[in-house]
Amino acid sequence: MPSELSNLSAYNSAIATGSLAVVDFFADWCGPCRAIAPLYEQLSQTHTDVHFYKVNVDNADDICTELGIESMPTFVFAKNGKIVAKLEGADANKLRQLVEKHK
């Protein structure tokens, strides 16, 4: 199950590992976010070598400002503290592909 990150310090710690970290930027009121949430949960269970996180954009202004998050959902893929890919929108196939490509 994805862990929730609530501040920039937690985000920076989460992406600092050598393993792939996927961060889902979502909002409770976002329909596409709710639609893709079950797939994101499933991916977190099937790809145990990948770290999955969630950031509620309404509760984490510092992270969103730092990364320039403007649309939801946005998925950020990071390794070793560096962003390796970014996906804006609820594209299930692209989400799966990016997890496979970068893990």
Side-chain angles (χ1 to χ4, degrees):
M1 178 173 194
S3 302
E4 189 155 340
L5 304 174
S6 58
N7 60 57
L8 189 57
S9 176
Y11 167 82
N12 286 331
S13 294
I15 69 163
T17 69
S19 300
L20 177 63
V22 184
V23 184
D24 172 14
F25 289 85
F26 75 99
D28 293 329
W29 46 264
C30 168
C33 298
R34 289 193 305 270
I36 203 161
L39 171 63
Y40 192 71
E41 176 73 28
Q42 177 188 17
L43 290 171
S44 76
Q45 293 172 359
T46 57
H47 295 279
T48 56
D49 53 337
V50 176
H51 301 282
F52 289 84
Y53 301 97
K54 294 179 80 66
V55 173
N56 186 328
V57 298
D58 293 325
N59 300 332
D61 289 339
D62 57 345
I63 305 172
C64 297
T65 300
E66 179 75 17
L67 297 179
I69 302 299
E70 296 179 350
S71 63
M72 279 70 64
T74 293
F75 299 92
V76 171
F77 300 78
K79 268 187 176 177
N80 298 314
K82 305 278 189 227
I83 295 174
V84 295
K86 189 174 182 180
L87 170 63
E88 293 180 339
D91 185 331
N93 289 329
K94 189 71 171 171
L95 178 59
R96 283 188 197 96
Q97 289 171 359
L98 287 169
V99 170
E100 286 294 332
K101 178 179 179 181
H102 294 289
K103 71 178 191 170

Coordinates of all heavy atoms in Angstrom, one line a residue:
M1 N 0.8 -1.2 0.0 CA 0.0 0.0 0.0 C 0.9 1.2 0.0 O 1.8 1.3 0.8 CB -0.9 0.0 1.2 CG -1.8 1.2 1.4 SD -2.9 0.9 2.8 CE -4.0 2.2 2.4
P2 N 0.6 2.2 -0.9 CA 1.4 3.4 -0.9 C 1.4 4.2 0.4 O 0.3 4.3 1.0 CB 0.8 4.2 -2.1 CG 0.0 3.2 -2.9 CD -0.4 2.2 -1.9
S3 N 2.5 4.7 0.8 CA 2.6 5.6 1.9 C 2.3 7.0 1.5 O 2.7 7.4 0.4 CB 4.0 5.6 2.5 OG 4.3 4.2 2.9
E4 N 1.7 7.8 2.4 CA 1.5 9.2 2.1 C 2.6 10.1 2.6 O 3.1 10.0 3.7 CB 0.2 9.7 2.7 CG -0.2 11.1 2.2 CD -1.7 11.4 2.2 OE1 -2.5 10.4 2.3 OE2 -2.1 12.5 2.2
L5 N 3.0 11.0 1.7 CA 4.1 12.0 2.0 C 3.4 13.3 2.2 O 2.6 13.8 1.4 CB 5.1 12.1 0.9 CG 5.8 10.8 0.5 CD1 6.6 11.0 -0.8 CD2 6.6 10.2 1.6
S6 N 3.8 14.0 3.3 CA 3.1 15.3 3.7 C 3.9 16.5 3.6 O 3.4 17.6 3.8 CB 2.4 15.1 5.0 OG 3.4 14.9 6.0
N7 N 5.3 16.4 3.4 CA 6.1 17.6 3.3 C 7.3 17.3 2.5 O 7.6 16.1 2.1 CB 6.5 18.0 4.7 CG 7.3 17.0 5.5 OD1 8.3 16.5 5.0 ND2 6.8 16.6 6.6
L8 N 8.0 18.3 2.1 CA 9.1 18.3 1.2 C 10.3 17.4 1.7 O 10.9 16.7 1.0 CB 9.6 19.7 0.8 CG 10.7 19.8 -0.3 CD1 10.2 19.2 -1.6 CD2 11.1 21.2 -0.5
S9 N 10.5 17.5 3.0 CA 11.6 16.7 3.6 C 11.3 15.2 3.5 O 12.2 14.4 3.1 CB 11.7 17.0 5.1 OG 12.6 16.2 5.7
A10 N 10.0 14.8 3.7 CA 9.6 13.4 3.6 C 9.8 12.9 2.1 O 10.2 11.8 1.8 CB 8.2 13.2 4.1
Y11 N 9.4 13.8 1.2 CA 9.5 13.5 -0.3 C 10.9 13.3 -0.6 O 11.3 12.3 -1.3 CB 8.9 14.7 -1.1 CG 9.2 14.6 -2.6 CD1 8.5 13.8 -3.4 CD2 10.3 15.3 -3.1 CE1 8.8 13.6 -4.8 CE2 10.6 15.2 -4.4 CZ 9.9 14.4 -5.2 OH 10.2 14.3 -6.6
N12 N 11.8 14.2 -0.2 CA 13.2 14.1 -0.6 C 13.8 12.8 0.0 O 14.6 12.2 -0.7 CB 14.0 15.3 -0.1 CG 13.7 16.5 -1.0 OD1 13.4 16.4 -2.1 ND2 13.8 17.7 -0.4
S13 N 13.5 12.4 1.2 CA 14.0 11.2 1.8 C 13.4 10.0 1.0 O 14.2 9.0 0.7 CB 13.5 11.1 3.2 OG 14.2 12.1 4.0
A14 N 12.2 10.0 0.6 CA 11.6 8.9 -0.1 C 12.2 8.6 -1.5 O 12.4 7.5 -1.9 CB 10.1 9.2 -0.3
I15 N 12.6 9.7 -2.2 CA 13.2 9.5 -3.5 C 14.7 9.3 -3.5 O 15.3 9.1 -4.6 CB 12.8 10.6 -4.5 CG1 13.4 11.9 -4.1 CG2 11.3 10.8 -4.6 CD1 13.4 13.0 -5.2
A16 N 15.3 9.4 -2.4 CA 16.8 9.4 -2.3 C 17.4 8.0 -2.4 O 18.6 7.8 -2.6 CB 17.2 10.0 -1.0
T17 N 16.5 6.9 -2.4 CA 17.0 5.6 -2.5 C 17.4 5.2 -3.9 O 17.0 5.8 -4.9 CB 16.0 4.6 -2.0 OG1 14.9 4.5 -2.9 CG2 15.5 4.9 -0.6
G18 N 18.2 4.1 -4.1 CA 18.5 3.6 -5.4 C 17.4 2.9 -6.1 O 17.5 2.7 -7.3
S19 N 16.4 2.5 -5.4 CA 15.2 1.9 -6.0 C 14.3 2.9 -6.6 O 14.3 4.1 -6.2 CB 14.4 1.1 -4.9 OG 15.2 0.1 -4.3
L20 N 13.5 2.5 -7.5 CA 12.5 3.4 -8.1 C 11.5 3.8 -7.1 O 10.9 3.0 -6.4 CB 11.8 2.7 -9.3 CG 10.7 3.5 -10.0 CD1 11.3 4.8 -10.6 CD2 10.0 2.7 -11.1
A21 N 11.2 5.1 -7.1 CA 10.1 5.6 -6.2 C 9.1 6.3 -7.2 O 9.5 7.1 -8.0 CB 10.6 6.7 -5.2
V22 N 7.8 5.9 -7.0 CA 6.8 6.5 -7.8 C 5.9 7.3 -6.9 O 5.4 6.7 -5.8 CB 5.9 5.4 -8.5 CG1 4.9 6.0 -9.4 CG2 6.8 4.5 -9.3
V23 N 5.6 8.5 -7.2 CA 4.8 9.4 -6.3 C 3.6 9.9 -7.1 O 3.7 10.5 -8.2 CB 5.7 10.6 -5.9 CG1 4.9 11.5 -4.9 CG2 7.0 10.2 -5.2
D24 N 2.5 9.6 -6.5 CA 1.2 9.9 -7.1 C 0.7 11.2 -6.5 O 0.4 11.3 -5.3 CB 0.2 8.8 -6.9 CG -1.3 9.1 -7.3 OD1 -1.5 10.1 -8.0 OD2 -2.2 8.4 -6.9
F25 N 0.6 12.3 -7.2 CA 0.1 13.6 -6.8 C -1.4 13.6 -7.1 O -1.8 13.6 -8.3 CB 0.8 14.8 -7.4 CG 2.2 14.9 -6.9 CD1 3.3 14.2 -7.5 CD2 2.5 15.8 -5.9 CE1 4.6 14.3 -7.0 CE2 3.8 15.9 -5.4 CZ 4.8 15.1 -6.0
F26 N -2.2 13.6 -6.1 CA -3.7 13.5 -6.3 C -4.4 14.5 -5.4 O -3.9 15.2 -4.6 CB -4.1 12.1 -5.9 CG -4.2 11.9 -4.4 CD1 -5.3 11.9 -3.7 CD2 -3.0 11.6 -3.7 CE1 -5.4 11.8 -2.3 CE2 -3.0 11.5 -2.3 CZ -4.2 11.5 -1.6
A27 N -5.7 14.6 -5.7 CA -6.6 15.4 -4.9 C -7.9 14.5 -4.6 O -8.3 13.8 -5.5 CB -7.0 16.7 -5.5
D28 N -8.5 14.7 -3.4 CA -9.7 13.9 -3.1 C -10.8 14.2 -4.0 O -11.6 13.4 -4.3 CB -10.1 14.2 -1.6 CG -9.1 13.6 -0.6 OD1 -8.4 12.6 -0.9 OD2 -9.0 14.3 0.5
W29 N -10.9 15.4 -4.5 CA -12.0 15.9 -5.4 C -11.8 15.6 -6.8 O -12.6 15.9 -7.7 CB -12.2 17.4 -5.2 CG -10.9 18.2 -5.2 CD1 -10.2 18.6 -4.2 CD2 -10.2 18.6 -6.4 NE1 -9.1 19.3 -4.6 CE2 -9.0 19.3 -6.0 CE3 -10.4 18.5 -7.8 CZ2 -8.1 19.8 -6.8 CZ3 -9.5 19.0 -8.7 CH2 -8.3 19.7 -8.2
C30 N -10.7 15.0 -7.2 CA -10.3 14.7 -8.6 C -10.8 13.4 -9.1 O -10.4 12.3 -8.6 CB -8.7 14.7 -8.7 SG -8.0 14.1 -10.2
G31 N -11.7 13.4 -10.0 CA -12.4 12.2 -10.6 C -11.3 11.3 -11.2 O -11.3 10.1 -10.9
P32 N -10.5 11.7 -12.1 CA -9.5 10.9 -12.7 C -8.5 10.2 -11.7 O -8.1 9.1 -11.8 CB -8.7 11.8 -13.7 CG -9.7 12.8 -14.0 CD -10.5 13.1 -12.8
C33 N -8.2 11.0 -10.6 CA -7.4 10.5 -9.5 C -8.1 9.3 -8.9 O -7.4 8.2 -8.6 CB -7.1 11.5 -8.5 SG -6.3 13.0 -9.1
R34 N -9.4 9.4 -8.6 CA -10.1 8.3 -8.0 C -10.2 7.1 -8.9 O -10.2 6.0 -8.5 CB -11.5 8.8 -7.5 CG -11.4 9.7 -6.3 CD -12.8 9.9 -5.7 NE -13.8 10.4 -6.7 CZ -14.1 11.7 -7.0 NH1 -13.4 12.6 -6.3 NH2 -15.0 12.0 -7.8
A35 N -10.3 7.4 -10.2 CA -10.5 6.3 -11.2 C -9.2 5.5 -11.3 O -9.3 4.2 -11.5 CB -10.8 6.9 -12.6
I36 N -8.0 6.1 -11.2 CA -6.8 5.3 -11.4 C -6.2 4.8 -10.1 O -5.3 4.0 -10.1 CB -5.7 6.2 -12.2 CG1 -4.7 5.2 -12.8 CG2 -5.1 7.2 -11.3 CD1 -3.9 5.9 -13.9
A37 N -6.8 5.2 -9.0 CA -6.3 4.8 -7.6 C -6.2 3.3 -7.5 O -5.2 2.8 -6.9 CB -7.1 5.4 -6.5
P38 N -7.3 2.5 -7.9 CA -7.2 1.0 -7.7 C -6.0 0.4 -8.5 O -5.3 -0.5 -8.0 CB -8.5 0.5 -8.3 CG -9.4 1.7 -8.1 CD -8.6 2.9 -8.4
L39 N -5.7 0.9 -9.7 CA -4.6 0.4 -10.5 C -3.3 0.8 -9.7 O -2.4 -0.1 -9.6 CB -4.5 1.0 -11.9 CG -3.3 0.7 -12.7 CD1 -3.1 -0.8 -12.9 CD2 -3.2 1.5 -14.0
Y40 N -3.1 2.0 -9.2 CA -1.9 2.4 -8.5 C -1.7 1.5 -7.3 O -0.6 1.0 -7.0 CB -2.0 3.8 -8.1 CG -0.8 4.4 -7.6 CD1 0.3 4.7 -8.5 CD2 -0.6 4.8 -6.2 CE1 1.5 5.2 -8.0 CE2 0.6 5.3 -5.8 CZ 1.6 5.5 -6.7 OH 2.8 6.1 -6.2
E41 N -2.8 1.2 -6.6 CA -2.7 0.3 -5.4 C -2.3 -1.1 -5.9 O -1.4 -1.8 -5.3 CB -4.1 0.2 -4.8 CG -4.2 -0.8 -3.6 CD -3.5 -0.4 -2.4 OE1 -3.4 0.8 -2.1 OE2 -3.0 -1.3 -1.6
Q42 N -2.8 -1.6 -7.0 CA -2.5 -2.9 -7.5 C -1.0 -3.0 -7.9 O -0.3 -3.9 -7.6 CB -3.3 -3.3 -8.7 CG -3.0 -4.6 -9.4 CD -3.7 -4.8 -10.7 OE1 -4.3 -3.9 -11.3 NE2 -3.7 -6.0 -11.2
L43 N -0.5 -1.9 -8.6 CA 0.9 -1.9 -9.0 C 1.8 -1.9 -7.7 O 2.9 -2.5 -7.8 CB 1.2 -0.6 -9.8 CG 0.6 -0.6 -11.2 CD1 0.8 0.8 -11.8 CD2 1.2 -1.6 -12.1
S44 N 1.4 -1.2 -6.7 CA 2.2 -1.2 -5.4 C 2.3 -2.6 -4.8 O 3.3 -2.9 -4.2 CB 1.6 -0.2 -4.4 OG 0.5 -0.7 -3.8
Q45 N 1.3 -3.5 -5.1 CA 1.3 -4.8 -4.5 C 2.1 -5.8 -5.4 O 2.7 -6.8 -4.9 CB -0.1 -5.3 -4.3 CG -0.9 -4.5 -3.2 CD -2.3 -4.9 -3.1 OE1 -2.9 -5.7 -3.9 NE2 -3.0 -4.2 -2.2
T46 N 2.1 -5.6 -6.7 CA 2.7 -6.5 -7.6 C 4.2 -6.1 -7.9 O 5.0 -7.0 -8.3 CB 2.0 -6.6 -9.0 OG1 1.9 -5.3 -9.6 CG2 0.6 -7.2 -8.8
H47 N 4.6 -4.9 -7.7 CA 6.0 -4.5 -7.9 C 6.6 -4.1 -6.5 O 6.8 -3.0 -6.2 CB 6.0 -3.3 -8.8 CG 5.6 -3.6 -10.2 ND1 6.4 -4.2 -11.2 CD2 4.4 -3.4 -10.8 CE1 5.7 -4.3 -12.3 NE2 4.5 -3.8 -12.1
T48 N 6.9 -5.2 -5.8 CA 7.4 -5.0 -4.4 C 8.8 -4.4 -4.4 O 9.2 -4.0 -3.3 CB 7.3 -6.3 -3.7 OG1 8.1 -7.3 -4.4 CG2 5.9 -6.8 -3.5
D49 N 9.5 -4.4 -5.5 CA 10.8 -3.8 -5.6 C 10.8 -2.3 -5.9 O 11.8 -1.6 -6.0 CB 11.6 -4.5 -6.7 CG 11.0 -4.5 -8.0 OD1 9.7 -4.4 -8.1 OD2 11.7 -4.7 -9.1
V50 N 9.6 -1.7 -6.0 CA 9.4 -0.3 -6.3 C 8.7 0.3 -5.1 O 7.8 -0.3 -4.5 CB 8.5 -0.1 -7.6 CG1 8.2 1.3 -7.8 CG2 9.2 -0.8 -8.8
H51 N 9.1 1.5 -4.7 CA 8.4 2.2 -3.6 C 7.3 3.1 -4.2 O 7.6 4.0 -5.0 CB 9.4 3.0 -2.8 CG 10.5 2.2 -2.3 ND1 10.4 1.4 -1.1 CD2 11.8 2.0 -2.7 CE1 11.5 0.8 -0.9 NE2 12.4 1.1 -1.8
F52 N 6.1 3.0 -3.7 CA 5.0 3.8 -4.1 C 4.5 4.7 -3.0 O 4.4 4.3 -1.9 CB 3.8 2.9 -4.5 CG 4.1 2.1 -5.8 CD1 4.8 0.9 -5.8 CD2 3.6 2.6 -7.0 CE1 5.0 0.2 -6.9 CE2 3.8 1.9 -8.2 CZ 4.5 0.7 -8.1
Y53 N 4.3 6.0 -3.4 CA 3.9 7.0 -2.4 C 2.7 7.8 -3.0 O 2.5 7.9 -4.2 CB 5.1 8.0 -2.2 CG 6.3 7.3 -1.6 CD1 7.3 6.9 -2.4 CD2 6.4 7.0 -0.2 CE1 8.4 6.3 -1.9 CE2 7.5 6.4 0.3 CZ 8.5 6.0 -0.5 OH 9.6 5.4 0.0
K54 N 2.0 8.5 -2.1 CA 1.0 9.4 -2.5 C 1.2 10.8 -1.9 O 1.6 10.8 -0.7 CB -0.4 8.8 -2.1 CG -0.8 7.6 -2.9 CD -2.1 7.0 -2.4 CE -3.3 7.6 -3.1 NZ -3.5 7.5 -4.5
V55 N 0.8 11.8 -2.6 CA 0.9 13.2 -2.1 C -0.5 13.8 -2.3 O -0.9 14.0 -3.5 CB 2.0 14.0 -2.7 CG1 1.9 15.5 -2.2 CG2 3.4 13.4 -2.3
N56 N -1.2 14.2 -1.3 CA -2.4 14.9 -1.4 C -2.1 16.4 -1.7 O -1.5 17.1 -0.8 CB -3.3 14.8 -0.2 CG -4.7 15.4 -0.4 OD1 -4.8 16.4 -1.1 ND2 -5.7 14.8 0.3
V57 N -2.4 16.9 -2.9 CA -1.9 18.2 -3.3 C -2.5 19.3 -2.4 O -1.9 20.4 -2.3 CB -2.2 18.5 -4.8 CG1 -1.4 17.6 -5.6 CG2 -3.7 18.5 -5.1
D58 N -3.6 19.1 -1.8 CA -4.3 20.1 -0.9 C -3.6 20.2 0.5 O -3.9 21.1 1.2 CB -5.8 19.7 -0.7 CG -6.5 19.9 -2.0 OD1 -6.2 20.8 -2.8 OD2 -7.5 19.1 -2.3
N59 N -2.7 19.2 0.8 CA -2.1 19.2 2.1 C -0.6 19.3 2.0 O 0.1 19.2 3.0 CB -2.4 17.9 2.8 CG -3.9 17.7 3.0 OD1 -4.6 18.7 3.1 ND2 -4.4 16.5 3.1
A60 N 0.0 19.5 0.8 CA 1.4 19.5 0.7 C 1.9 20.5 -0.3 O 2.5 20.2 -1.4 CB 1.9 18.1 0.2
D61 N 1.6 21.8 0.0 CA 2.0 22.9 -0.9 C 3.4 23.0 -1.2 O 3.8 23.3 -2.3 CB 1.5 24.2 -0.3 CG 0.0 24.4 -0.3 OD1 -0.7 23.7 -1.1 OD2 -0.5 25.3 0.5
D62 N 4.3 22.7 -0.2 CA 5.7 22.8 -0.4 C 6.2 21.8 -1.5 O 7.0 22.2 -2.3 CB 6.5 22.6 0.9 CG 6.2 21.3 1.6 OD1 5.3 20.6 1.3 OD2 7.0 21.0 2.5
I63 N 5.8 20.6 -1.5 CA 6.2 19.6 -2.5 C 5.7 20.1 -3.9 O 6.4 20.1 -4.8 CB 5.7 18.2 -2.2 CG1 6.1 17.7 -0.8 CG2 6.2 17.2 -3.2 CD1 5.4 16.4 -0.4
C64 N 4.4 20.4 -3.9 CA 3.8 20.8 -5.2 C 4.5 22.0 -5.8 O 4.7 22.1 -7.0 CB 2.3 21.0 -5.1 SG 1.5 19.5 -4.6
T65 N 4.8 23.0 -5.0 CA 5.5 24.2 -5.5 C 6.9 23.9 -6.0 O 7.3 24.3 -7.0 CB 5.6 25.3 -4.3 OG1 4.2 25.6 -4.0 CG2 6.3 26.5 -4.8
E66 N 7.6 23.1 -5.2 CA 9.0 22.7 -5.6 C 9.0 22.0 -6.9 O 9.9 22.2 -7.7 CB 9.6 21.8 -4.5 CG 11.0 21.3 -4.7 CD 12.1 22.4 -4.5 OE1 11.8 23.4 -3.9 OE2 13.2 22.2 -5.0
L67 N 8.1 21.1 -7.1 CA 8.1 20.3 -8.4 C 7.2 20.9 -9.5 O 7.2 20.3 -10.6 CB 7.6 18.9 -8.0 CG 8.4 18.1 -7.1 CD1 7.8 16.7 -6.8 CD2 9.8 17.9 -7.6
G68 N 6.5 21.9 -9.2 CA 5.7 22.6 -10.3 C 4.5 21.7 -10.7 O 4.1 21.7 -11.8
I69 N 3.9 21.1 -9.7 CA 2.7 20.2 -10.0 C 1.5 21.1 -10.3 O 1.2 21.9 -9.5 CB 2.4 19.3 -8.8 CG1 3.6 18.4 -8.5 CG2 1.2 18.4 -9.1 CD1 4.1 17.5 -9.6
E70 N 1.0 20.9 -11.5 CA -0.2 21.8 -11.9 C -1.4 21.0 -12.2 O -2.5 21.6 -12.3 CB 0.3 22.7 -13.1 CG 1.4 23.6 -12.7 CD 1.8 24.5 -13.9 OE1 1.4 24.2 -15.0 OE2 2.5 25.4 -13.6
S71 N -1.3 19.7 -12.5 CA -2.5 18.9 -12.8 C -2.5 17.6 -12.0 O -1.4 17.2 -11.6 CB -2.5 18.7 -14.3 OG -1.4 17.9 -14.7
M72 N -3.7 17.1 -11.9 CA -3.8 15.9 -11.2 C -4.6 14.9 -12.0 O -5.5 15.3 -12.7 CB -4.6 16.1 -9.8 CG -3.8 16.6 -8.7 SD -3.2 18.3 -8.9 CE -4.7 19.2 -8.9
P73 N -4.2 13.6 -11.9 CA -3.1 13.1 -11.2 C -1.8 13.4 -12.0 O -1.8 13.5 -13.2 CB -3.3 11.6 -11.1 CG -4.1 11.3 -12.3 CD -5.0 12.5 -12.6
T74 N -0.7 13.5 -11.3 CA 0.6 13.6 -11.8 C 1.4 12.5 -11.1 O 1.4 12.4 -9.9 CB 1.3 15.0 -11.6 OG1 0.6 15.9 -12.4 CG2 2.8 14.9 -12.1
F75 N 2.2 11.7 -11.9 CA 3.0 10.7 -11.3 C 4.5 11.0 -11.6 O 4.8 11.3 -12.7 CB 2.7 9.3 -12.0 CG 1.3 8.9 -11.7 CD1 0.3 9.2 -12.6 CD2 0.9 8.2 -10.6 CE1 -1.0 8.8 -12.4 CE2 -0.4 7.8 -10.4 CZ -1.4 8.1 -11.3
V76 N 5.3 11.1 -10.5 CA 6.7 11.4 -10.7 C 7.4 10.1 -10.4 O 7.2 9.4 -9.4 CB 7.1 12.5 -9.7 CG1 8.6 12.7 -9.6 CG2 6.4 13.8 -10.1
F77 N 8.4 9.8 -11.2 CA 9.2 8.6 -11.1 C 10.6 9.1 -10.8 O 11.2 9.9 -11.6 CB 9.2 7.8 -12.4 CG 7.9 7.3 -12.8 CD1 7.0 8.2 -13.4 CD2 7.5 6.0 -12.6 CE1 5.7 7.8 -13.8 CE2 6.2 5.6 -13.0 CZ 5.3 6.5 -13.6
A78 N 11.2 8.6 -9.7 CA 12.5 9.1 -9.3 C 13.4 7.9 -8.8 O 12.9 6.9 -8.3 CB 12.4 10.1 -8.2
K79 N 14.7 8.1 -9.0 CA 15.7 7.2 -8.5 C 16.9 8.0 -8.1 O 17.3 9.0 -8.7 CB 16.2 6.3 -9.7 CG 15.5 5.0 -9.8 CD 16.2 4.1 -10.8 CE 15.6 2.7 -10.9 NZ 16.2 1.9 -11.9
N80 N 17.5 7.6 -7.0 CA 18.7 8.3 -6.5 C 18.5 9.8 -6.4 O 19.4 10.6 -6.6 CB 19.9 8.0 -7.4 CG 20.3 6.5 -7.4 OD1 20.3 5.9 -6.4 ND2 20.5 6.0 -8.6
G81 N 17.3 10.2 -6.0 CA 17.1 11.6 -5.7 C 16.8 12.4 -7.0 O 16.6 13.6 -6.9
K82 N 16.8 11.8 -8.2 CA 16.6 12.5 -9.4 C 15.3 12.0 -10.1 O 15.0 10.8 -10.1 CB 17.8 12.2 -10.4 CG 19.1 12.5 -9.8 CD 19.4 14.0 -10.0 CE 20.9 14.3 -9.6 NZ 21.0 15.4 -8.7
I83 N 14.6 12.9 -10.7 CA 13.4 12.5 -11.4 C 13.8 11.9 -12.8 O 14.5 12.6 -13.5 CB 12.4 13.8 -11.6 CG1 11.9 14.2 -10.3 CG2 11.3 13.4 -12.6 CD1 11.1 15.5 -10.3
V84 N 13.3 10.7 -13.1 CA 13.6 10.1 -14.3 C 12.4 10.1 -15.3 O 12.6 9.9 -16.5 CB 14.1 8.6 -14.1 CG1 15.4 8.6 -13.3 CG2 13.0 7.8 -13.4
A85 N 11.2 10.4 -14.8 CA 10.1 10.5 -15.7 C 8.9 11.1 -15.0 O 8.9 11.2 -13.7 CB 9.6 9.1 -16.2
K86 N 8.0 11.7 -15.7 CA 6.8 12.3 -15.2 C 5.6 12.0 -16.1 O 5.8 12.1 -17.3 CB 7.1 13.8 -15.1 CG 6.1 14.6 -14.3 CD 6.6 16.1 -14.2 CE 5.7 16.9 -13.4 NZ 6.1 18.3 -13.3
L87 N 4.5 11.7 -15.5 CA 3.3 11.4 -16.3 C 2.2 12.3 -15.7 O 1.9 12.2 -14.5 CB 2.9 9.9 -16.2 CG 1.6 9.5 -16.7 CD1 1.5 9.7 -18.2 CD2 1.3 8.0 -16.4
E88 N 1.6 13.1 -16.6 CA 0.4 13.9 -16.2 C -0.8 13.3 -16.8 O -0.9 13.0 -18.0 CB 0.6 15.3 -16.6 CG 1.7 16.1 -15.9 CD 1.9 17.5 -16.4 OE1 1.4 17.8 -17.5 OE2 2.5 18.3 -15.6
G89 N -1.8 13.0 -15.9 CA -3.1 12.4 -16.4 C -3.2 11.0 -16.0 O -2.2 10.3 -15.5
A90 N -4.4 10.4 -16.1 CA -4.7 9.1 -15.6 C -4.6 8.1 -16.8 O -5.6 7.4 -17.1 CB -6.1 9.1 -15.0
D91 N -3.4 8.0 -17.4 CA -3.2 7.0 -18.5 C -2.7 5.7 -17.9 O -1.5 5.6 -17.6 CB -2.2 7.6 -19.5 CG -2.0 6.8 -20.7 OD1 -2.1 5.6 -20.7 OD2 -1.6 7.4 -21.7
A92 N -3.5 4.7 -17.8 CA -3.2 3.5 -17.1 C -2.1 2.7 -17.8 O -1.2 2.2 -17.2 CB -4.4 2.6 -17.0
N93 N -2.2 2.7 -19.2 CA -1.1 1.9 -19.9 C 0.2 2.6 -19.8 O 1.2 1.9 -19.6 CB -1.5 1.8 -21.4 CG -2.7 0.9 -21.6 OD1 -2.9 -0.1 -20.9 ND2 -3.5 1.2 -22.6
K94 N 0.3 3.9 -19.9 CA 1.5 4.6 -19.7 C 2.1 4.5 -18.3 O 3.3 4.3 -18.1 CB 1.3 6.1 -20.1 CG 2.6 6.9 -20.2 CD 3.4 6.5 -21.4 CE 4.6 7.5 -21.6 NZ 5.5 7.0 -22.6
L95 N 1.2 4.5 -17.3 CA 1.7 4.3 -15.9 C 2.4 2.9 -15.8 O 3.5 2.8 -15.2 CB 0.5 4.4 -15.0 CG 0.8 4.2 -13.5 CD1 1.8 5.2 -13.0 CD2 -0.5 4.3 -12.7
R96 N 1.7 1.9 -16.3 CA 2.3 0.5 -16.2 C 3.7 0.5 -17.0 O 4.6 -0.1 -16.5 CB 1.4 -0.5 -16.9 CG 0.2 -0.9 -16.1 CD -0.5 -2.0 -16.8 NE -1.9 -2.2 -16.2 CZ -3.0 -1.7 -16.7 NH1 -2.9 -1.0 -17.8 NH2 -4.1 -2.0 -16.2
Q97 N 3.7 1.1 -18.2 CA 4.9 1.1 -19.0 C 6.1 1.8 -18.2 O 7.2 1.3 -18.3 CB 4.7 1.8 -20.3 CG 3.8 1.0 -21.3 CD 3.4 1.9 -22.5 OE1 3.8 3.0 -22.6 NE2 2.6 1.2 -23.4
L98 N 5.8 2.9 -17.6 CA 6.9 3.7 -16.9 C 7.4 2.9 -15.7 O 8.6 3.0 -15.4 CB 6.4 5.1 -16.6 CG 6.3 6.0 -17.8 CD1 5.5 7.3 -17.4 CD2 7.6 6.3 -18.4
V99 N 6.5 2.3 -15.0 CA 6.9 1.5 -13.9 C 7.9 0.4 -14.4 O 9.0 0.2 -13.8 CB 5.8 0.9 -13.1 CG1 6.2 -0.2 -12.1 CG2 5.0 2.0 -12.4
E100 N 7.5 -0.3 -15.4 CA 8.3 -1.4 -16.0 C 9.6 -0.9 -16.5 O 10.7 -1.5 -16.3 CB 7.5 -2.1 -17.1 CG 6.4 -3.1 -16.6 CD 6.9 -4.2 -15.8 OE1 8.1 -4.7 -16.0 OE2 6.2 -4.7 -14.9
K101 N 9.6 0.2 -17.2 CA 10.8 0.8 -17.8 C 11.8 1.2 -16.8 O 13.0 1.0 -17.0 CB 10.4 2.0 -18.7 CG 11.6 2.6 -19.3 CD 11.1 3.8 -20.2 CE 12.3 4.5 -20.8 NZ 11.9 5.6 -21.6
H102 N 11.4 1.8 -15.7 CA 12.4 2.4 -14.8 C 12.7 1.6 -13.5 O 13.5 2.0 -12.7 CB 11.9 3.8 -14.4 CG 11.8 4.7 -15.5 ND1 13.0 5.3 -16.1 CD2 10.8 5.3 -16.2 CE1 12.7 6.1 -17.1 NE2 11.4 6.1 -17.2
K103 N 12.0 0.5 -13.3 CA 12.3 -0.3 -12.1 C 13.6 -1.0 -12.1 O 14.3 -1.1 -13.1 CB 11.2 -1.3 -11.8 CG 11.1 -2.5 -12.7 CD 10.0 -3.4 -12.2 CE 10.0 -4.7 -12.9 NZ 9.2 -5.6 -12.4

